[in-house]
């Protein structure tokens, strides 16, 4: 294996690329991406030369058998591959092909709920006395026939569905087709730990864990309290706090149980989808012993509820960085992303004034300059934006009560041909702007793709960026600036201007030249103790 990172620290020093398997590369013309397609595109991600993107690992959104009510986040068999994507043999080949290139492979582990078509749930719902009854949450209706508590599902509506067969309700934090597994039942825990071992034995390097913080709930499933910040007109599903269904104190014990399984396998790692306050996210690392998750996602940069205006504001960005730094335990590091399969893409999200692409460029330097493990989302490296989907082509069932997620899940745009190099058939979701493709950007030094390649390469060449501490600077209004420093290594100053006018950044004596920037004109304007940053630009200074 060509190992460009220091062995088992891949998850600490590497850059991980999230693939939404349905949308990366189709090889059989059915319009749906597949594992063979990912294998065929691995050289694009990392072929060991400067021509490839240069990432270190891949996280695949779920690839397991599933009725696809939530596009794979409703798993009906944790130990196999959905036929749309391939089979176990294709997965084994994907693992081997990744490892040949020094790429790590993380699968998506969905512990909170299965599909209602999983044999466990089919058994569980069949009778009050079925041995699997307690593998899920079944409760009597209230005397008036209403659901057992007031919880609101993440996708809206009650978290409870009444089942005629036994006259009880079952709990689902998401869609009714996604019943919650009961992690207070040791048999469930053992079965789910077995799932982790099954894939780790096959050679995967770890997992992204879906909604980690919801796995354990209040033992009595007590009502959730009202959200004091909610005002009429806000989304009804945010009317209650999630106090008794998310980040409940003993969820951290479930995390430690998972970690113990992961530790049976040398070099494996887990990153959790975690939400809540900074302190809550920090706790997922397991405190001083660091016996929790290796990494816990911090989504504060992409919080959908944030008005666009404050989302790209230096005060806000500086605050997120310092809060995250202050709340991860010593020896751990934050984990950030600007895009994923659940949120509008940054190039569109921050495009209210037509400057989305510029902000996306600056975000690349920010993300890869921060102390933490960066996660990129396929297509981000070419500046893909959200795609307007005609009503009749919408797919995401969660859209019924929430903003749908189809716009950020459209196929990867490899070239400008009719099938975008993605498929020879008709794609499961429509394509975006035909001007935004890998082919068009490969040879263009000014393209987003070239920028990402440069930044990824620079990061890899800089021990301070990969491993150094982070010190915030007070560099002036509308400026985010920090220094990454490591004993005996050249420090790197990362700075960005969030304003639409130029800003002067105080950089201090030691820093003398712009090593990398979003805007090639910056080099000429750099002088001594200050650097003039053009509107929305970002730089690395040595
Ligand atoms: C996570 C996933 C999302 C999914 C949900 C339920 O938030 O990222 O896509 O719908 O969990 O599994
Ligand atoms: Ca296919």
């Amino acid at each position: 294996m060509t190992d460009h990172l220091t062995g088992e620290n891949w998850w600490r020093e590497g850059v991980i690329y999230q693939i939404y398997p349905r949308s990366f590369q189709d090889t059989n013309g059915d319009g749906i991406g597949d594992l063979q397609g990912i294998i065929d595109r691995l050289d694009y991600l990392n072929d060991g030369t400067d021509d490839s993107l240069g990432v270190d690992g891949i996280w695949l959104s779920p690839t397991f058998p599933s009725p696809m009510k939530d596009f794979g986040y409703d798993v009906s068999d944790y130990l196999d591959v959905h036929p749309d994507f391939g089979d176990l043999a294709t997965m084994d080949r994907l693992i081997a092909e990744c490892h040949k290139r020094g790429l790590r492979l993380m699968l998506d582990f969905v512990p909170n709920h299965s599909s209602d078509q999983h044999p466990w749930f089919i058994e569980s719902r069949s009778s009050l006395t079925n041995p699997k009854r307690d593998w899920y949450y079944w409760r009597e209706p209230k005397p008036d026939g209403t659901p057992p508590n007031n919880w609101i599902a993440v996708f809206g509506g009650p978290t409870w569905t009444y089942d005629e067969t036994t006259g009880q309700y079952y709990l689902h934090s998401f869609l009714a087709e996604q019943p919650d597994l009961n992690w207070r039942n040791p048999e469930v825990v053992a079965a789910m730990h077995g799932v982790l071992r099954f894939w780790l034995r096959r050679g995967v390097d770890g997992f992204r864990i879906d909604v980690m913080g919801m796995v354990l709930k209040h033992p009595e499933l007590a009502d959730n309290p009202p959200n004091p910040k909610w005002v009429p007109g806000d989304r009804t599903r945010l009317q209650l706090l999630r106090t008794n269904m998310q980040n409940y104190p003993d969820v951290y014990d479930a995390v430690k149980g998972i970690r113990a399984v992961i530790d049976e396998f040398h070099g494996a790692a887990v990153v959790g989808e975690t939400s809540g306050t900074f302190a809550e996210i920090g706790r997922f690392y397991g405190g001083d012993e660091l016996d929790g998750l290796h990494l816990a996602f911090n989504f504060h940069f992409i919080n959908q509820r944030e008005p666009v205006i404050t989302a790209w504001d230096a005060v806000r960005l500086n605050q997120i960085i310092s809060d995250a730094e202050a709340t991860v335990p010593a020896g751990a590091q934050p984990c950030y992303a600007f895009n994923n399969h659940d949120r509008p893409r940054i190039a569109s999200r921050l495009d209210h004034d037509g400057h989305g692409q510029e902000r996306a460029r600056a975000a690349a330097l920010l993300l890869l300059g921060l102390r933490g493990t960066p996660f990129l989302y396929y297509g981000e490296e070419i500046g893909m934006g959200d795609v307007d989907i005609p009503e009749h082509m919408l797919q995401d069932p969660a859209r019924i009560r929430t903003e749908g997620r189809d716009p950020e899940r459209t196929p990867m745009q490899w070239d400008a041909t009719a099938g975008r190099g993605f498929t020879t058939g008709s794609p499961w979701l429509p394509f975006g702007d035909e001007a935004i493709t890998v082919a068009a950007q490969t040879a263009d030094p000014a393209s987003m793709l070239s920028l990402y390649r440069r930044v990824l390469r620079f990061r890899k060449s800089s021990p301070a960026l990969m491993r150094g501490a982070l010190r915030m600077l007070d560099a002036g209004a509308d400026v985010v600036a920090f220094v990454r420093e490591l004993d005996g290594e050249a420090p790197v100053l990362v700075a960005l201007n969030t304003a639409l006018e130029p800003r002067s950044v105080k950089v201090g004596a030691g820093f003398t030249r712009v090593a990398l920037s979003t805007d090639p004109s910056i080099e000429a304007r750099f002088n001594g103790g200050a650097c003039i940053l053009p509107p929305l630009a970002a730089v690395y200074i040595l």
Side-chain angles (χ1 to χ4, degrees):
M1 178 152 86
T2 51
D3 216 343
H4 32 254
L5 305 173
T6 55
E8 59 191 279
N9 269 344
W10 62 271
W11 55 271
R12 197 188 280 281
E13 298 172 4
V15 176
I16 316 293
Y17 185 91
Q18 179 190 357
I19 290 179
Y20 198 67
R22 291 181 82 77
S23 293
F24 201 56
Q25 179 67 59
D26 174 25
T27 56
N28 62 351
D30 65 359
I32 299 172
D34 41 57
L35 296 185
Q36 183 57 50
I38 298 171
I39 295 172
D40 293 352
R41 292 294 187 182
L42 287 179
D43 281 345
Y44 165 78
L45 298 179
N46 199 333
D47 68 357
T49 77
D50 284 1
D51 295 335
S52 62
L53 185 58
V55 295
D56 308 292
I58 298 171
W59 147 35
L60 296 184
S61 282
T63 44
F64 317 103
S66 160
M68 294 287 172
K69 292 296 176 196
D70 190 16
F71 289 102
Y73 287 96
D74 49 326
V75 180
S76 54
D77 181 355
Y78 287 99
L79 308 180
D80 207 340
V81 171
H82 193 293
D84 281 353
F85 298 134
D87 55 21
L88 281 171
T90 343
M91 182 62 90
D92 289 342
R93 270 193 296 116
L94 174 60
I95 296 169
E97 290 295 326
C98 284
H99 290 171
K100 243 193 234 169
R101 293 166 176 79
L103 284 165
R104 300 326 202 276
L105 184 67
M106 306 180 97
L107 298 185
D108 211 313
F109 179 55
V110 189
N112 182 69
H113 44 266
S114 71
S115 159
D116 64 345
Q117 299 307 307
H118 195 294
W120 298 340
F121 188 71
I122 293 174
E123 276 193 53
S124 181
R125 85 190 309 174
S126 66
S127 80
L128 290 170
T129 53
N130 184 278
K132 294 242 163 32
R133 185 65 173 180
D134 185 50
W135 280 43
Y136 295 84
Y137 293 97
W138 292 97
R139 293 291 182 277
E140 290 292 325
K142 282 193 181 154
D144 65 355
T146 57
N149 70 19
N150 70 350
W151 295 1
I152 303 173
V154 175
F155 294 152
T159 51
W160 296 95
T161 290
Y162 183 73
D163 195 45
E164 300 281 346
T165 321
T166 52
Q168 289 190 334
Y169 281 94
Y170 68 88
L171 178 75
H172 51 87
S173 298
F174 293 85
L175 299 172
E177 293 89 348
Q178 295 168 295
D180 282 29
L181 282 158
N182 176 11
W183 274 67
R184 294 200 183 274
N185 180 333
E187 291 176 16
V188 169
V189 176
M192 293 306 278
H193 286 179
V195 170
L196 296 170
R197 291 192 184 96
F198 173 87
W199 291 108
L200 289 163
R201 281 192 199 112
R202 286 197 108 86
V204 307
D205 301 286
F207 302 89
R208 174 265 191 187
I209 306 181
D210 194 59
V211 285
M212 185 66 250
M214 294 178 103
V215 159
L216 282 181
K217 293 108 171 121
H218 186 287
E220 264 87 57
L221 309 180
D223 276 355
N224 275 326
N227 177 0
K229 291 201 188 126
W230 189 86
V231 290
D234 279 0
R235 291 166 210 157
T236 41
R237 68 193 165 90
L238 303 175
Q239 230 167 332
L240 303 178
L241 297 177
R242 295 202 182 131
T243 317
N244 292 327
M245 67 191 277
Q246 179 177 292
N247 300 345
Y248 196 74
D250 57 6
V251 84
Y252 301 100
D253 297 332
V255 170
K256 288 180 187 177
I258 289 174
R259 173 61 184 262
V261 175
I262 300 299
D263 283 348
E264 295 167 13
F265 296 81
H266 185 73
V270 276
V271 53
E273 186 200 21
T274 50
S275 37
T277 63
F278 287 92
E280 284 170 337
I281 294 169
R283 280 192 67 188
F284 280 98
Y285 291 87
D288 292 345
E289 303 82 42
L290 298 183
D291 54 358
L293 302 175
H294 295 78
L295 297 166
F297 269 119
N298 182 316
F299 294 125
H300 285 266
F301 284 130
I302 53 177
N303 189 346
Q304 241 176 346
R305 304 201 63 214
E306 205 64 46
V308 159
I309 286 313
T310 55
W312 202 250
D313 166 78
V315 174
R316 173 93 183 110
L317 296 174
N318 281 321
Q319 192 64 52
I320 293 172
I321 299 165
S322 36
D323 284 349
E325 284 288 327
T327 46
V328 291
Q333 69 185 22
C335 177
Y336 303 102
F338 276 113
N339 294 282
N340 65 33
H341 62 294
D342 292 327
R343 315 287 169 125
R345 287 180 179 269
I346 190 167
S348 298
R349 203 165 73 223
L350 301 182
D351 194 42
H352 53 289
D353 54 2
H355 292 291
Q357 290 287 335
E358 288 153 77
R359 292 189 182 91
R361 291 174 81 91
L365 268 73
L366 174 58
L367 180 65
L368 292 154
L370 281 164
R371 188 177 82 94
T373 305
F375 276 69
L376 310 181
Y377 182 51
Y378 82 98
E380 161 176 347
E381 75 277 21
I382 56 171
M384 271 171 64
D386 295 340
V387 177
D388 250 338
I389 318 273
E391 184 68 31
H392 71 278
M393 293 191 76
L394 287 172
Q395 304 276 347
D396 180 12
R399 76 178 185 282
I400 295 162
R401 293 194 176 104
T402 64
E403 37 306 275
R405 298 162 295 178
D406 296 316
E408 62 263 28
R409 296 175 175 181
T410 61
M412 180 68 174
Q413 312 229 126
W414 297 103
D415 59 44
T417 59
R420 293 291 195 281
F422 165 73
T423 184
T424 53
S426 46
W428 78 287
L429 279 175
F431 297 120
D433 185 346
E434 69 175 9
I436 298 184
T437 67
V438 171
Q441 296 190 17
T442 299
D444 173 6
S447 69
M448 185 76 86
L449 182 56
S450 297
L451 178 69
Y452 267 89
R453 284 200 204 118
R454 276 201 301 279
V455 185
L456 280 154
R457 221 125 265 139
F458 184 86
R459 189 176 185 279
K460 195 146 291 171
S461 73
S462 164
L465 278 193
M466 279 199 297
R467 290 189 286 279
L470 182 149
R471 180 164 52 87
M472 300 295 295
L473 298 179
D474 182 9
D478 300 314
V479 171
V480 176
F482 50 84
V483 179
R484 298 293 313 282
E485 47 201 358
L486 184 69
D487 268 356
E489 302 289 347
V492 179
L493 192 153
V494 178
L496 60 131
N497 171 10
T498 59
L500 289 169
E501 295 93 44
R503 287 286 181 265
S504 169
V505 183
K506 285 174 271 167
V507 295
F511 295 96
T512 55
R513 83 186 166 86
V514 171
L516 202 145
S517 70
T518 47
D519 182 334
S521 69
I522 292 171
E523 196 126 26
R525 308 190 61 193
F526 183 78
N527 69 26
C531 174
I532 310 295
L533 285 191
L536 303 178
V539 286
Y540 290 168
I541 300 175
L542 285 176

